[in-house]
């Protein structure tokens, strides 16, 4: 039997977000690897399949996360090469802030194995619903917090700015589970290039268990340094400026409409 790989998303909230297709892949697999954020979620997966193997064991404080991701890929691909139907079940969306699913699928395809990704409800989807944000209203830019700090990114304060994984902001080692106030001080100084210290921002955390509450904590940028922040905390920065009309483009479009109207009347 030819091995295969499917990396599926089970959503953010336990039992509430999984789609029928992801559930079917899990139930029909020979082996399921779980990349989930909570032990209860893993127990729930075990109720769907008798052979669920946790990928969380590869994480260790002080261990470079690239090594961890490679070990996860090796674990899944070993079973694929052995001819098994392998499923990687990941919380949220398996393609969002998750290197192992992307890398393992690419490797499986390169070796001639059937491989696919099944989307899931991500933290971004929950954030939009929980905070009532429409990305189309003002626009929305998103960055991983450390990448935002390490590189000169162009961002627009007239749209929403979302910084993911601010609990790890500034970690150059890729081996920490959290950074602290000194690292966030650097982030705050960077943000004050375009925002005032008293600009109100949101610390957001999605509900993982049905009994959990969504975290929507409004604080000022200056309070970010000493705030209670976890690995799964997301920073949402609402617009601080109004959108500026592009008068040159608007004038050109007006002229186009006039010309079209004149042609129609002829």
């Amino acid at each position: 039997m030819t091995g295969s790989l499917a990396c599926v998303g089970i959503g953010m909230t336990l039992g509430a977000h999984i789609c029928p297709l992801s559930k079917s892949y899990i139930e029909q697999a020979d082996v399921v690897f779980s990349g989930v954020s909570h032990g209860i979620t893993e127990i729930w997966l075990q109720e769907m399949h008798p052979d669920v193997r946790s990928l969380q064991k590869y994480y260790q404080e002080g261990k470079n996360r690239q090594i961890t991701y490679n070990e996860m890929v090796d674990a899944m691909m070993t079973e694929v090469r052995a001819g098994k139907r392998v499923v990687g079940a990941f919380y949220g969306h398996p393609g969002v802030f998750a290197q192992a699913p992307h890398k393992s699928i690419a490797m499986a395809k390169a070796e001639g194995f059937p491989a696919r990704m099944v989307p899931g409800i991500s933290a971004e989807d929950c954030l939009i619903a929980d905070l009532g944000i429409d990305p189309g209203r003002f626009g929305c830019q998103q960055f991983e917090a450390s990448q935002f700090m390490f590189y000169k990114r162009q961002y627009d304060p007239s749209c929403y700015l979302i910084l993911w994984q601010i609990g790890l902001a500034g970690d150059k080692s890729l081996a920490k589970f959290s950074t602290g106030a000194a690292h966030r001080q650097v982030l705050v100084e960077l943000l004050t290039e375009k925002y005032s210290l008293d600009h109100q921002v949101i610390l957001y955390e999605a509900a993982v268990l049905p009994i959990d509450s969504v975290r929507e904590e409004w604080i000022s940028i200056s309070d970010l340094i000493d705030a209670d922040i976890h690995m799964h905390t997301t920073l949402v920065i609402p617009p601080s400026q109004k959108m500026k009309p592009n008068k040159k483009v608007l004038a050109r479009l007006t002229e186009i409409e006039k010309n079209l109207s004149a042609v129609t009347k002829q």
Side-chain angles (χ1 to χ4, degrees), residues 247-260:
K247 295 180 180 180
K248 184 177 180 180
V249 170
L250 290 170
R252 286 188 62 191
L253 293 173
T254 299
E255 188 65 27
I256 289 171
E257 292 299 324
K258 285 182 180 179
N259 293 336
L260 290 173

Side-chain angles (χ1 to χ4, degrees), residues 70-125:
N70 288 338
E71 290 173 342
M72 291 178 174
V73 172
D74 288 343
M76 289 187 285
M77 286 303 301
T78 295
E79 298 301 326
V80 172
R81 293 174 185 130
K84 295 182 180 179
R85 292 170 297 182
V86 177
V87 167
F90 296 87
Y91 75 95
H93 190 304
V96 178
F97 289 96
Q99 289 191 30
H102 282 293
K103 190 171 182 178
S104 58
I105 287 174
M107 187 177 294
K109 287 182 176 180
E111 295 180 18
F113 297 105
R116 68 168 301 183
M117 180 179 288
V118 179
I121 293 176
S122 68
E124 178 191 10
D125 300 313

Side-chain angles (χ1 to χ4, degrees), residues 178-252:
S178 66
T179 53
H183 292 80
R184 291 201 292 273
Q185 174 70 48
V186 177
L187 175 60
V188 166
E189 291 173 6
L190 181 60
L191 290 172
T192 53
E193 293 178 3
K194 294 192 177 183
Y195 302 96
S196 65
L197 279 172
D198 60 359
H199 184 64
Q200 293 294 295
V201 299
I202 307 168
L203 296 177
Y204 172 77
E205 295 171 9
V208 176
L209 301 179
I211 60 173
D212 288 344
S213 298
V214 171
R215 182 183 184 185
E216 180 185 348
E217 182 180 352
W218 288 79
I219 62 173
S220 65
I221 286 180
S222 61
D223 291 334
L224 183 62
I225 297 170
D226 296 314
D228 185 18
I229 291 175
H230 310 112
M231 283 188 68
H232 58 290
T233 306
T234 302
L235 178 64
V236 181
I237 306 179
S240 64
Q241 301 177 11
K242 291 184 177 180
M243 293 183 287
K244 298 176 182 179
N246 190 326
K247 295 180 180 180
K248 184 177 180 180
V249 170
L250 290 170
R252 286 188 62 191

Side-chain angles (χ1 to χ4, degrees), residues 15-34:
H17 291 167
I18 189 170
C19 73
L21 184 56
S22 292
K23 189 172 186 290
S24 175
Y25 269 109
I26 291 170
E27 292 173 339
Q28 295 178 26
D30 293 316
V31 57
V32 177
F33 289 91
S34 67

